[in-house]
Amino acid sequence: MKSIYIHSATSISAQNTFESESLMFDIKKLPEKKAEVMHPNYKEIISANALRRMATGVKMGMAAAYKALKNANIQQPDAILTGTGMGCIEDTEKFLNTIIANDETHVTPTSFILSTHNTVGSQIALSLQCKAYNNTYVHGALSFESALMDACLLLQQDEANHVLVGGVDELGTEFVDAVRLMEDRNSQGIKVPLGEGATFFVLSSQHQQDAVQLLDLESYSVTVQSSIVEKMTAFLTRNHLNVANVDVLMLGNNGDAFDVFYDSVASSLSETSQVTYKQLCGEYYTASAFGLFMAHEILKSQDIPNGMLQNEIKNKSVNTILLYNQFKGRDHSFILLSI
């Protein structure tokens, strides 16, 4: 199997990850309920005429994609792959509210057309005039992982040289408030704020100096807590590694009752540096893309921000990172990175 390398990584998040060129940004404490992204100056990236018609998710996605391509010195990717859990929820809300306001008559379809989940990927392709393979995955909390897996298959089968792959989700207004209300009523609900973000990567099978290698990834729609450590061990064994070879374990804890899955994995790597990331970006379906971005940056910088480290162990050098994410006890994924 061909090796897969990350040539660039860009994220628009609740932290200053887009403007910052390193992990030396000041970690921002997130609001209790909703964590909006720190928006860049989109007018420097996207034309003013186009911006007026764009939902938040499209703006974020296009800006992150453009910067990822620029940093990789790529003008035209051989494929564009996007993962999203909710798509352009703002336009969905607009369309549904218009239906209600107009008593289900004389409804303009514009918001409906713009609300489709593949809007971000298609807008990126249109702006680049890219006619290559373009696909969007909507697989809950495995949406980004599904796009990432497709990208790896394309590269390993020599169907592409450079692939643009990312995850995008926006907060919206009404739907997220309903979700937050249900979580607040549940004492075992999510403790981190609900969030949003856009994270894009350029992947290639061509090695570059100092590039981070994506060793492997694996996902499970359903599994039980008692078998998650066994699955992790088998995943590492498949890559000729064991727990002692993992320098950093990155976990997607959000404070709900299903953190017990993370506790099981963390216990089996008790001598390993452990970091969490959702306190930086909030919880959303493609938050694992932000986690991968942070893992990539840690490997590149050889530094772990203090706001992420959860134990006293901090290795002098970081060569291998294991990223584990799940949501509500479902949609589990392992991603393995190395330098």
Side-chain angles (χ1 to χ4, degrees):
M1 299 291 284
K2 285 193 170 185
S3 299
I4 307 298
Y5 301 95
I6 301 176
H7 283 192
S8 69
T10 303
S11 183
I12 295 177
S13 70
Q15 306 296 329
N16 188 27
T17 48
F18 188 81
E19 301 292 347
S20 176
E21 296 298 328
S22 68
L23 283 178
M24 298 306 291
F25 58 84
D26 293 328
I27 291 180
K28 169 187 170 185
K29 182 175 175 57
L30 301 185
E32 183 179 344
K33 302 294 184 182
K34 294 189 291 187
E36 297 181 354
V37 300
M38 295 180 66
H39 293 286
N41 184 358
Y42 293 117
K43 292 181 180 179
E44 296 180 353
I45 308 166
I46 306 168
S47 69
N49 287 336
L51 273 174
R52 285 197 295 268
R53 298 187 296 272
M54 286 183 182
T56 301
V58 180
K59 295 176 187 177
M60 294 191 300
M62 291 187 67
Y66 285 172
K67 187 172 182 179
L69 290 170
K70 180 181 178 181
N71 289 347
N73 295 315
I74 299 295
Q75 293 184 336
Q76 285 283 340
D78 300 311
I80 298 172
L81 298 166
T82 311
T84 181
M86 296 301 297
C88 297
I89 191 67
E90 288 180 3
D91 282 305
T92 301
E93 292 172 345
K94 288 179 185 177
F95 181 71
L96 294 175
N97 284 329
T98 303
I99 288 177
I100 295 169
N102 289 275
D103 196 25
E104 302 184 20
T105 61
H106 308 296
V107 179
T108 174
T110 304
S111 293
F112 174 76
I113 294 169
L114 295 175
S115 72
T116 55
H117 290 74
N118 64 350
T119 300
V120 176
S122 61
Q123 288 296 317
I124 293 170
L126 286 168
S127 65
L128 296 173
Q129 291 296 296
C130 178
K131 300 178 182 179
Y133 176 72
N134 193 319
N135 210 350
T136 298
Y137 288 88
V138 188
H139 293 171
L142 290 178
S143 298
F144 170 69
E145 285 82 350
S146 298
L148 189 62
M149 191 172 296
D150 193 358
C152 291
L153 290 171
L154 287 172
L155 293 168
Q156 289 170 343
Q157 294 173 5
D158 289 325
E159 294 183 20
N161 292 318
H162 296 90
V163 177
L164 178 68
V165 57
V168 183
D169 273 300
E170 62 184 22
L171 275 167
T173 53
E174 297 177 47
F175 178 80
V176 70
D177 288 340
V179 172
R180 185 79 260 180
L181 181 62
M182 288 187 290
E183 289 291 339
D184 289 345
R185 288 176 175 174
N186 180 1
S187 61
Q188 298 298 319
I190 296 171
K191 299 300 188 296
V192 302
L194 298 179
E196 61 182 353
T199 304
F200 273 85
F201 306 86
V202 173
L203 268 56
S204 177
S205 58
Q206 300 173 5
H207 180 262
Q208 277 189 348
Q209 188 176 4
D210 300 326
V212 172
Q213 184 175 357
L214 175 59
L215 292 177
D216 202 358
L217 71 151
E218 189 162 271
S219 63
Y220 315 90
S221 293
V222 181
T223 190
V224 294
Q225 182 189 352
S226 58
S227 68
I228 194 64
V229 172
E230 180 182 345
K231 290 184 181 298
M232 178 204 67
T233 303
F235 176 69
L236 292 174
T237 301
R238 189 173 78 197
N239 289 278
H240 310 291
L241 299 172
N242 56 47
V243 294
N245 302 126
V246 178
D247 298 313
V248 172
L249 173 65
M250 183 170 286
L251 302 168
N253 297 60
N254 65 17
D256 69 5
F258 297 96
D259 273 4
V260 292
F261 283 92
Y262 295 119
D263 295 340
S264 295
V265 172
S267 296
S268 66
L269 284 90
S270 58
E271 299 301 315
T272 301
S273 297
Q274 297 178 7
V275 299
T276 57
Y277 63 89
K278 287 180 181 173
Q279 73 274 18
L280 273 62
C281 67
E283 178 65 280
Y284 54 100
Y285 281 118
T286 53
S288 57
F290 176 81
L292 181 60
F293 168 81
M294 292 302 297
H296 174 272
E297 295 302 294
I298 288 171
L299 283 168
K300 295 280 285 186
S301 67
Q302 291 293 298
D303 184 43
I304 301 174
N306 292 328
M308 297 181 71
L309 194 64
Q310 300 300 305
N311 57 6
E312 297 300 320
I313 301 168
K314 187 171 181 179
N315 297 332
K316 292 182 179 179
S317 61
V318 181
N319 297 309
T320 303
I321 294 181
L322 176 64
L323 173 62
Y324 169 51
N325 188 66
Q326 59 83 28
F327 182 67
K328 296 294 185 183
R330 296 177 56 89
D331 296 346
H332 305 259
S333 66
F334 291 107
I335 301 177
L336 191 61
L337 297 177
S338 180
I339 54 170

